[in-house]
PDB file of all heavy atoms in Angstrom:
ATOM      1  N   GLY D  15      60.581 118.110  75.866  1.00  0.00           N
ATOM      2  CA  GLY D  15      61.239 117.905  74.586  1.00  0.00           C
ATOM      3  C   GLY D  15      62.451 117.004  74.537  1.00  0.00           C
ATOM      4  O   GLY D  15      63.088 116.904  73.491  1.00  0.00           O
ATOM      5  N   ALA D  16      62.804 116.336  75.638  1.00  0.00           N
ATOM      6  CA  ALA D  16      63.949 115.420  75.591  1.00  0.00           C
ATOM      7  C   ALA D  16      63.541 114.173  74.796  1.00  0.00           C
ATOM      8  O   ALA D  16      62.642 113.446  75.198  1.00  0.00           O
ATOM      9  CB  ALA D  16      64.391 115.036  76.996  1.00  0.00           C
ATOM     10  N   LEU D  17      64.197 113.964  73.664  1.00  0.00           N
ATOM     11  CA  LEU D  17      63.853 112.850  72.784  1.00  0.00           C
ATOM     12  C   LEU D  17      64.899 111.751  72.827  1.00  0.00           C
ATOM     13  O   LEU D  17      64.593 110.578  73.047  1.00  0.00           O
ATOM     14  CB  LEU D  17      63.698 113.348  71.347  1.00  0.00           C
ATOM     15  CG  LEU D  17      63.273 112.324  70.306  1.00  0.00           C
ATOM     16  CD1 LEU D  17      61.862 111.818  70.574  1.00  0.00           C
ATOM     17  CD2 LEU D  17      63.371 112.916  68.893  1.00  0.00           C
ATOM     18  N   ASP D  18      66.158 112.135  72.604  1.00  0.00           N
ATOM     19  CA  ASP D  18      67.257 111.173  72.632  1.00  0.00           C
ATOM     20  C   ASP D  18      68.527 111.900  73.042  1.00  0.00           C
ATOM     21  O   ASP D  18      68.494 113.091  73.362  1.00  0.00           O
ATOM     22  CB  ASP D  18      67.417 110.470  71.276  1.00  0.00           C
ATOM     23  CG  ASP D  18      67.611 111.439  70.119  1.00  0.00           C
ATOM     24  OD1 ASP D  18      68.255 112.503  70.319  1.00  0.00           O
ATOM     25  OD2 ASP D  18      67.119 111.166  69.010  1.00  0.00           O
ATOM     26  N   VAL D  19      69.644 111.202  73.037  1.00  0.00           N
ATOM     27  CA  VAL D  19      70.893 111.773  73.548  1.00  0.00           C
ATOM     28  C   VAL D  19      71.374 112.975  72.735  1.00  0.00           C
ATOM     29  O   VAL D  19      72.223 113.739  73.202  1.00  0.00           O
ATOM     30  CB  VAL D  19      72.016 110.711  73.601  1.00  0.00           C
ATOM     31  CG1 VAL D  19      71.701 109.664  74.637  1.00  0.00           C
ATOM     32  CG2 VAL D  19      72.233 110.076  72.238  1.00  0.00           C
ATOM     33  N   ASN D  20      70.849 113.161  71.522  1.00  0.00           N
ATOM     34  CA  ASN D  20      71.232 114.312  70.701  1.00  0.00           C
ATOM     35  C   ASN D  20      70.443 115.572  71.036  1.00  0.00           C
ATOM     36  O   ASN D  20      70.788 116.657  70.583  1.00  0.00           O
ATOM     37  CB  ASN D  20      71.033 113.982  69.216  1.00  0.00           C
ATOM     38  CG  ASN D  20      71.934 112.857  68.749  1.00  0.00           C
ATOM     39  OD1 ASN D  20      73.116 112.845  69.053  1.00  0.00           O
ATOM     40  ND2 ASN D  20      71.378 111.902  68.027  1.00  0.00           N
ATOM     41  N   SER D  21      69.363 115.433  71.811  1.00  0.00           N
ATOM     42  CA  SER D  21      68.478 116.556  72.102  1.00  0.00           C
ATOM     43  C   SER D  21      69.140 117.556  73.047  1.00  0.00           C
ATOM     44  O   SER D  21      69.786 117.161  74.030  1.00  0.00           O
ATOM     45  CB  SER D  21      67.179 116.070  72.755  1.00  0.00           C
ATOM     46  OG  SER D  21      66.518 115.108  71.981  1.00  0.00           O
ATOM     47  N   ILE D  22      68.931 118.834  72.772  1.00  0.00           N
ATOM     48  CA  ILE D  22      69.393 119.858  73.704  1.00  0.00           C
ATOM     49  C   ILE D  22      68.702 119.679  75.048  1.00  0.00           C
ATOM     50  O   ILE D  22      69.329 119.822  76.107  1.00  0.00           O
ATOM     51  CB  ILE D  22      69.146 121.263  73.131  1.00  0.00           C
ATOM     52  CG1 ILE D  22      70.039 121.502  71.908  1.00  0.00           C
ATOM     53  CG2 ILE D  22      69.393 122.335  74.193  1.00  0.00           C
ATOM     54  CD1 ILE D  22      69.768 122.796  71.180  1.00  0.00           C
ATOM     55  N   ALA D  23      67.422 119.327  75.023  1.00  0.00           N
ATOM     56  CA  ALA D  23      66.695 119.117  76.278  1.00  0.00           C
ATOM     57  C   ALA D  23      67.295 117.970  77.084  1.00  0.00           C
ATOM     58  O   ALA D  23      67.334 118.013  78.322  1.00  0.00           O
ATOM     59  CB  ALA D  23      65.218 118.839  75.985  1.00  0.00           C
ATOM     60  N   TRP D  24      67.756 116.935  76.393  1.00  0.00           N
ATOM     61  CA  TRP D  24      68.384 115.791  77.067  1.00  0.00           C
ATOM     62  C   TRP D  24      69.671 116.237  77.759  1.00  0.00           C
ATOM     63  O   TRP D  24      69.900 115.941  78.942  1.00  0.00           O
ATOM     64  CB  TRP D  24      68.683 114.708  76.036  1.00  0.00           C
ATOM     65  CG  TRP D  24      69.228 113.413  76.576  1.00  0.00           C
ATOM     66  CD1 TRP D  24      70.442 113.211  77.171  1.00  0.00           C
ATOM     67  CD2 TRP D  24      68.576 112.132  76.559  1.00  0.00           C
ATOM     68  NE1 TRP D  24      70.595 111.891  77.511  1.00  0.00           N
ATOM     69  CE2 TRP D  24      69.469 111.205  77.148  1.00  0.00           C
ATOM     70  CE3 TRP D  24      67.351 111.689  76.080  1.00  0.00           C
ATOM     71  CZ2 TRP D  24      69.155 109.846  77.279  1.00  0.00           C
ATOM     72  CZ3 TRP D  24      67.040 110.333  76.213  1.00  0.00           C
ATOM     73  CH2 TRP D  24      67.925 109.434  76.811  1.00  0.00           C
ATOM     74  N   LYS D  25      70.527 116.953  77.025  1.00  0.00           N
ATOM     75  CA  LYS D  25      71.776 117.449  77.588  1.00  0.00           C
ATOM     76  C   LYS D  25      71.505 118.395  78.757  1.00  0.00           C
ATOM     77  O   LYS D  25      72.215 118.389  79.770  1.00  0.00           O
ATOM     78  CB  LYS D  25      72.595 118.185  76.531  1.00  0.00           C
ATOM     79  CG  LYS D  25      72.986 117.360  75.314  1.00  0.00           C
ATOM     80  CD  LYS D  25      74.006 116.308  75.637  1.00  0.00           C
ATOM     81  CE  LYS D  25      74.498 115.632  74.363  1.00  0.00           C
ATOM     82  NZ  LYS D  25      75.394 114.480  74.661  1.00  0.00           N
ATOM     83  N   THR D  26      70.464 119.215  78.611  1.00  0.00           N
ATOM     84  CA  THR D  26      70.122 120.161  79.672  1.00  0.00           C
ATOM     85  C   THR D  26      69.661 119.424  80.925  1.00  0.00           C
ATOM     86  O   THR D  26      70.034 119.781  82.041  1.00  0.00           O
ATOM     87  CB  THR D  26      69.045 121.145  79.199  1.00  0.00           C
ATOM     88  OG1 THR D  26      69.489 121.803  78.005  1.00  0.00           O
ATOM     89  CG2 THR D  26      68.750 122.188  80.262  1.00  0.00           C
ATOM     90  N   ALA D  27      68.861 118.391  80.743  1.00  0.00           N
ATOM     91  CA  ALA D  27      68.402 117.588  81.886  1.00  0.00           C
ATOM     92  C   ALA D  27      69.585 116.987  82.639  1.00  0.00           C
ATOM     93  O   ALA D  27      69.642 117.036  83.877  1.00  0.00           O
ATOM     94  CB  ALA D  27      67.459 116.496  81.402  1.00  0.00           C
ATOM     95  N   GLU D  28      70.528 116.428  81.901  1.00  0.00           N
ATOM     96  CA  GLU D  28      71.708 115.839  82.540  1.00  0.00           C
ATOM     97  C   GLU D  28      72.502 116.898  83.310  1.00  0.00           C
ATOM     98  O   GLU D  28      72.983 116.639  84.427  1.00  0.00           O
ATOM     99  CB  GLU D  28      72.607 115.193  81.485  1.00  0.00           C
ATOM    100  CG  GLU D  28      72.018 113.944  80.839  1.00  0.00           C
ATOM    101  CD  GLU D  28      72.918 113.358  79.768  1.00  0.00           C
ATOM    102  OE1 GLU D  28      73.620 114.131  79.070  1.00  0.00           O
ATOM    103  OE2 GLU D  28      72.938 112.120  79.637  1.00  0.00           O
ATOM    104  N   ASN D  41      56.907 114.897  77.388  1.00  0.00           N
ATOM    105  CA  ASN D  41      56.903 114.977  75.939  1.00  0.00           C
ATOM    106  C   ASN D  41      55.565 114.436  75.463  1.00  0.00           C
ATOM    107  O   ASN D  41      54.814 113.826  76.233  1.00  0.00           O
ATOM    108  CB  ASN D  41      58.058 114.178  75.326  1.00  0.00           C
ATOM    109  CG  ASN D  41      58.615 114.834  74.064  1.00  0.00           C
ATOM    110  OD1 ASN D  41      57.877 115.492  73.325  1.00  0.00           O
ATOM    111  ND2 ASN D  41      59.895 114.649  73.812  1.00  0.00           N
ATOM    112  N   ALA D  45      56.033 111.228  70.621  1.00  0.00           N
ATOM    113  CA  ALA D  45      57.472 111.479  70.682  1.00  0.00           C
ATOM    114  C   ALA D  45      58.136 110.540  71.675  1.00  0.00           C
ATOM    115  O   ALA D  45      59.270 110.080  71.462  1.00  0.00           O
ATOM    116  CB  ALA D  45      57.733 112.931  71.067  1.00  0.00           C
ATOM    117  N   MET D  46      57.448 110.238  72.758  1.00  0.00           N
ATOM    118  CA  MET D  46      58.007 109.340  73.757  1.00  0.00           C
ATOM    119  C   MET D  46      58.190 107.932  73.203  1.00  0.00           C
ATOM    120  O   MET D  46      59.149 107.240  73.543  1.00  0.00           O
ATOM    121  CB  MET D  46      57.104 109.313  74.987  1.00  0.00           C
ATOM    122  CG  MET D  46      57.117 110.615  75.767  1.00  0.00           C
ATOM    123  SD  MET D  46      55.960 110.622  77.141  1.00  0.00           S
ATOM    124  CE  MET D  46      56.599 109.281  78.124  1.00  0.00           C
ATOM    125  N   MET D  48      58.962 107.309  70.165  1.00  0.00           N
ATOM    126  CA  MET D  48      60.079 107.374  69.215  1.00  0.00           C
ATOM    127  C   MET D  48      61.429 107.523  69.908  1.00  0.00           C
ATOM    128  O   MET D  48      62.464 107.141  69.355  1.00  0.00           O
ATOM    129  CB  MET D  48      59.876 108.565  68.266  1.00  0.00           C
ATOM    130  CG  MET D  48      58.675 108.446  67.351  1.00  0.00           C
ATOM    131  SD  MET D  48      58.308 110.019  66.543  1.00  0.00           S
ATOM    132  CE  MET D  48      59.869 110.406  65.765  1.00  0.00           C
ATOM    133  N   GLY D  49      61.448 108.073  71.108  1.00  0.00           N
ATOM    134  CA  GLY D  49      62.700 108.396  71.780  1.00  0.00           C
ATOM    135  C   GLY D  49      63.080 107.413  72.867  1.00  0.00           C
ATOM    136  O   GLY D  49      62.574 106.296  72.944  1.00  0.00           O
ATOM    137  N   GLN D  50      64.022 107.872  73.716  1.00  0.00           N
ATOM    138  CA  GLN D  50      64.514 107.029  74.812  1.00  0.00           C
ATOM    139  C   GLN D  50      64.390 107.742  76.151  1.00  0.00           C
ATOM    140  O   GLN D  50      65.293 107.689  76.990  1.00  0.00           O
ATOM    141  CB  GLN D  50      65.973 106.659  74.553  1.00  0.00           C
ATOM    142  CG  GLN D  50      66.203 105.876  73.280  1.00  0.00           C
ATOM    143  CD  GLN D  50      66.907 106.684  72.196  1.00  0.00           C
ATOM    144  OE1 GLN D  50      67.772 107.491  72.479  1.00  0.00           O
ATOM    145  NE2 GLN D  50      66.518 106.460  70.955  1.00  0.00           N
ATOM    146  N   ILE D  51      63.265 108.418  76.361  1.00  0.00           N
ATOM    147  CA  ILE D  51      63.108 109.245  77.555  1.00  0.00           C
ATOM    148  C   ILE D  51      63.155 108.423  78.843  1.00  0.00           C
ATOM    149  O   ILE D  51      63.583 108.911  79.896  1.00  0.00           O
ATOM    150  CB  ILE D  51      61.797 110.074  77.458  1.00  0.00           C
ATOM    151  CG1 ILE D  51      61.814 111.217  78.487  1.00  0.00           C
ATOM    152  CG2 ILE D  51      60.579 109.185  77.603  1.00  0.00           C
ATOM    153  CD1 ILE D  51      60.673 112.199  78.307  1.00  0.00           C
ATOM    154  N   ASP D  52      62.751 107.143  78.775  1.00  0.00           N
ATOM    155  CA  ASP D  52      62.808 106.290  79.967  1.00  0.00           C
ATOM    156  C   ASP D  52      64.242 106.154  80.482  1.00  0.00           C
ATOM    157  O   ASP D  52      64.480 106.122  81.695  1.00  0.00           O
ATOM    158  CB  ASP D  52      62.241 104.899  79.664  1.00  0.00           C
ATOM    159  CG  ASP D  52      60.731 104.918  79.468  1.00  0.00           C
ATOM    160  OD1 ASP D  52      60.090 105.861  79.964  1.00  0.00           O
ATOM    161  OD2 ASP D  52      60.193 103.992  78.833  1.00  0.00           O
ATOM    162  N   GLU D  53      65.175 106.075  79.556  1.00  0.00           N
ATOM    163  CA  GLU D  53      66.595 105.966  79.920  1.00  0.00           C
ATOM    164  C   GLU D  53      67.061 107.217  80.665  1.00  0.00           C
ATOM    165  O   GLU D  53      67.782 107.133  81.670  1.00  0.00           O
ATOM    166  CB  GLU D  53      67.423 105.772  78.649  1.00  0.00           C
ATOM    167  CG  GLU D  53      68.925 105.706  78.867  1.00  0.00           C
ATOM    168  CD  GLU D  53      69.692 105.663  77.559  1.00  0.00           C
ATOM    169  OE1 GLU D  53      69.160 105.139  76.557  1.00  0.00           O
ATOM    170  OE2 GLU D  53      70.829 106.177  77.537  1.00  0.00           O
ATOM    171  N   LEU D  54      66.637 108.392  80.175  1.00  0.00           N
ATOM    172  CA  LEU D  54      67.005 109.655  80.821  1.00  0.00           C
ATOM    173  C   LEU D  54      66.384 109.756  82.213  1.00  0.00           C
ATOM    174  O   LEU D  54      67.028 110.208  83.159  1.00  0.00           O
ATOM    175  CB  LEU D  54      66.563 110.833  79.953  1.00  0.00           C
ATOM    176  CG  LEU D  54      66.863 112.228  80.493  1.00  0.00           C
ATOM    177  CD1 LEU D  54      68.369 112.443  80.645  1.00  0.00           C
ATOM    178  CD2 LEU D  54      66.269 113.298  79.571  1.00  0.00           C
ATOM    179  N   ALA D  94      61.479 123.032  74.816  1.00  0.00           N
ATOM    180  CA  ALA D  94      62.378 122.654  73.715  1.00  0.00           C
ATOM    181  C   ALA D  94      61.585 121.824  72.711  1.00  0.00           C
ATOM    182  O   ALA D  94      61.865 120.642  72.504  1.00  0.00           O
ATOM    183  CB  ALA D  94      63.577 121.888  74.250  1.00  0.00           C
ATOM    184  N   ALA D 198      73.223 119.706  65.733  1.00  0.00           N
ATOM    185  CA  ALA D 198      72.956 118.382  65.145  1.00  0.00           C
ATOM    186  C   ALA D 198      72.043 117.544  66.028  1.00  0.00           C
ATOM    187  O   ALA D 198      72.442 116.525  66.597  1.00  0.00           O
ATOM    188  CB  ALA D 198      74.267 117.656  64.885  1.00  0.00           C
ATOM    189  N   THR D 199      70.799 117.997  66.174  1.00  0.00           N
ATOM    190  CA  THR D 199      69.783 117.223  66.883  1.00  0.00           C
ATOM    191  C   THR D 199      68.971 116.415  65.864  1.00  0.00           C
ATOM    192  O   THR D 199      69.071 116.630  64.656  1.00  0.00           O
ATOM    193  CB  THR D 199      68.829 118.149  67.645  1.00  0.00           C
ATOM    194  OG1 THR D 199      68.147 118.990  66.700  1.00  0.00           O
ATOM    195  CG2 THR D 199      69.585 119.019  68.632  1.00  0.00           C
ATOM    196  N   THR D 200      68.159 115.517  66.365  1.00  0.00           N
ATOM    197  CA  THR D 200      67.311 114.720  65.481  1.00  0.00           C
ATOM    198  C   THR D 200      66.374 115.614  64.682  1.00  0.00           C
ATOM    199  O   THR D 200      66.179 115.436  63.477  1.00  0.00           O
ATOM    200  CB  THR D 200      66.499 113.697  66.306  1.00  0.00           C
ATOM    201  OG1 THR D 200      67.417 112.851  67.010  1.00  0.00           O
ATOM    202  CG2 THR D 200      65.631 112.833  65.400  1.00  0.00           C
ATOM    203  N   ALA D 201      65.800 116.627  65.337  1.00  0.00           N
ATOM    204  CA  ALA D 201      64.875 117.547  64.655  1.00  0.00           C
ATOM    205  C   ALA D 201      65.613 118.415  63.642  1.00  0.00           C
ATOM    206  O   ALA D 201      65.153 118.614  62.514  1.00  0.00           O
ATOM    207  CB  ALA D 201      64.162 118.413  65.685  1.00  0.00           C
ATOM    208  N   GLY D 202      66.777 118.934  64.031  1.00  0.00           N
ATOM    209  CA  GLY D 202      67.518 119.833  63.152  1.00  0.00           C
ATOM    210  C   GLY D 202      67.951 119.179  61.859  1.00  0.00           C
ATOM    211  O   GLY D 202      67.956 119.795  60.787  1.00  0.00           O
ATOM    212  N   GLN D 203      68.281 117.902  61.934  1.00  0.00           N
ATOM    213  CA  GLN D 203      68.752 117.199  60.749  1.00  0.00           C
ATOM    214  C   GLN D 203      67.647 116.943  59.734  1.00  0.00           C
ATOM    215  O   GLN D 203      67.925 116.489  58.625  1.00  0.00           O
ATOM    216  CB  GLN D 203      69.428 115.891  61.173  1.00  0.00           C
ATOM    217  CG  GLN D 203      70.734 116.136  61.914  1.00  0.00           C
ATOM    218  CD  GLN D 203      71.357 114.868  62.478  1.00  0.00           C
ATOM    219  OE1 GLN D 203      70.855 113.771  62.262  1.00  0.00           O
ATOM    220  NE2 GLN D 203      72.438 115.012  63.214  1.00  0.00           N
ATOM    221  N   ALA D 226      75.165 121.326  71.606  1.00  0.00           N
ATOM    222  CA  ALA D 226      74.020 121.053  72.485  1.00  0.00           C
ATOM    223  C   ALA D 226      74.446 121.158  73.952  1.00  0.00           C
ATOM    224  O   ALA D 226      73.709 121.691  74.791  1.00  0.00           O
ATOM    225  CB  ALA D 226      73.441 119.678  72.177  1.00  0.00           C
TER     226      ALA D 226
END
Side-chain angles (χ1 to χ4, degrees):
L17 183 66
D18 56 35
V19 293
N20 296 314
S21 304
I22 293 174
W24 185 293
K25 300 290 187 187
T26 304
E28 291 178 326
N41 215 329
M46 291 176 61
M48 294 168 55
Q50 299 109 36
I51 196 171
D52 289 338
E53 177 186 330
L54 180 62
T199 62
T200 301
Q203 291 174 4

